[in-house]
Amino acid sequence: MRIGVLTSGGDAPGMNSAIRTVAVVGIGRGHQVIGIREGYKGLMDGDVTTLSLGDVRGISRIGGTVLASTRSELFKTEEGQAKAKSSIARLSLDALIVIGGNGSLTGASRLAEDGTCTVVGIPASIDNDIGHVGLSIGVDTAVNTIVDACDRISDTARACKRAFVVEVMGRQCGFLAMRAGLAAEADAILYGEGRLTEHEVVEKLREVMRRCFAPDSSKQRALIVKAEGIGITTERLETLLNEHLEQDAPGVGIRSTVLGHVVRGGSPSALDRVI
């Protein structure tokens, strides 16, 4: 068989381990493995390379993806999907393996609808927002990165008696915020699935502040982990809490940090490599 493999959408630590596994197992079983560069864009353009064992040696420890990745607007259209199917036929691919998240696997299902070739999806998304999947590739590394950042932030927060709001990625899924928040001993975890109004969020956090920094409390820091899917910006949340700070927690400072794409990077954990 000629098996194509691509990575698509947002990168996730451990994608390279998946690429290596496809190549090693495929070649070991006598198949030819074709690496497709830049996701569906590369598939439509025919930007491919034959993968050898030497090409994938040692890549498991590297973050990102050696095949590169893009989000293609053209591929979302019928024209783009037709172009991808024509390319699959032109490249004589018997199977296509798509490593990616929710949108990427939706695209894979479109290609599989009319039997263009055998299509396999490997869930890889730090958001962990793919149905029927226990843990996607990249989630464990992202959680560990968040926890490490929260631990460091907690050190400086205790030194200066401060509260910190830490925003993490996850799009509309609060899994990263919840798991990392639990591990980092957060005092509050905000996730979009809770569907709280701005007023409800602020009131709940004011109560957290009052409890953490009550006169009889020995706490020196408050940690609030916020998923990016919350319908209130981190900057505005900090501003709103600041308005009540002198009343709720006199003498305490509040700061915010948006971790952003740092959560995607870094060498994948052993768990993400093994998955």
Side-chain angles (χ1 to χ4, degrees):
M1 295 176 68
R2 278 172 60 85
I3 301 172
V5 57
L6 63 82
T7 51
S8 173
D11 59 300
M15 278 184 163
N16 285 328
S17 297
I19 294 169
R20 178 184 176 276
T21 299
V22 171
V24 170
V25 175
I27 293 169
R29 293 185 179 181
H31 306 303
Q32 186 178 25
V33 179
I34 308 299
I36 301 167
R37 301 186 184 93
E38 295 192 68
Y40 289 122
K41 177 181 181 297
L43 177 61
M44 291 184 291
D45 295 342
D47 185 3
V48 303
T49 182
T50 301
L51 295 179
S52 68
L53 293 178
D55 292 327
V56 299
R57 187 175 296 122
I59 68 173
S60 291
R61 63 183 177 80
I62 303 171
T65 162
V66 295
L67 289 177
S69 180
T70 60
R71 288 187 169 94
S72 172
E73 292 301 317
L74 175 60
F75 180 73
K76 295 178 182 179
T77 67
E78 290 186 6
E79 176 192 353
Q81 290 164 25
K83 190 174 181 181
K85 291 173 183 178
S86 296
S87 186
I88 288 172
R90 187 171 63 255
L91 294 168
S92 300
L93 297 181
D94 301 296
L96 176 67
I97 297 178
V98 176
I99 305 167
N102 197 9
S104 301
L105 298 187
T106 299
S109 72
R110 297 286 184 271
L111 294 179
E113 283 174 352
D114 59 2
T116 304
C117 69
T118 298
V119 181
V120 175
I122 298 180
S125 166
I126 66 166
D127 300 339
N128 208 39
D129 60 351
I130 302 167
H132 313 292
V133 176
L135 204 64
S136 297
I137 290 171
V139 176
D140 185 65
T141 305
V143 169
N144 288 332
T145 299
I146 294 168
V147 171
D148 180 65
C150 285
D151 287 348
R152 293 169 186 266
I153 287 170
S154 290
D155 288 341
T156 187
R158 290 189 192 95
C160 302
K161 198 170 186 179
R162 284 176 176 160
F164 265 87
V165 180
V166 179
E167 180 185 305
V168 304
M169 298 187 86
R171 204 159 9 186
Q172 298 303 313
C173 179
F175 186 91
L176 282 182
M178 183 61 71
R179 178 165 286 207
L182 289 171
E185 298 184 12
D187 298 285
I189 303 170
L190 304 177
Y191 51 97
E193 293 89 337
R195 305 192 186 284
L196 299 178
T197 65
E198 180 178 287
H199 176 74
E200 289 172 327
V201 169
V202 172
E203 288 305 304
K204 284 180 177 292
L205 292 183
R206 287 188 65 189
E207 175 56 33
V208 169
M209 296 294 287
R210 289 192 290 264
R211 186 177 65 249
C212 287
F213 298 108
D216 59 347
S217 173
S218 61
K219 279 183 71 69
Q220 292 294 109
R221 75 91 160 114
L223 176 64
I224 301 162
V225 176
K226 170 187 174 290
E228 66 177 345
I230 292 289
I232 172 175
T233 67
T234 300
E235 182 181 21
R236 176 163 173 76
L237 184 57
E238 179 187 348
T239 299
L240 292 173
L241 291 177
N242 243 325
E243 292 176 358
H244 305 283
L245 204 56
E246 195 57 39
Q247 177 184 347
D248 297 335
V252 174
I254 186 166
R255 300 288 188 275
S256 61
T257 298
V258 178
L259 294 183
H261 283 73
V262 70
V263 174
R264 286 196 185 279
S267 181
S269 67
L271 178 57
D272 278 327
R273 302 183 197 193
V274 170
I275 291 177

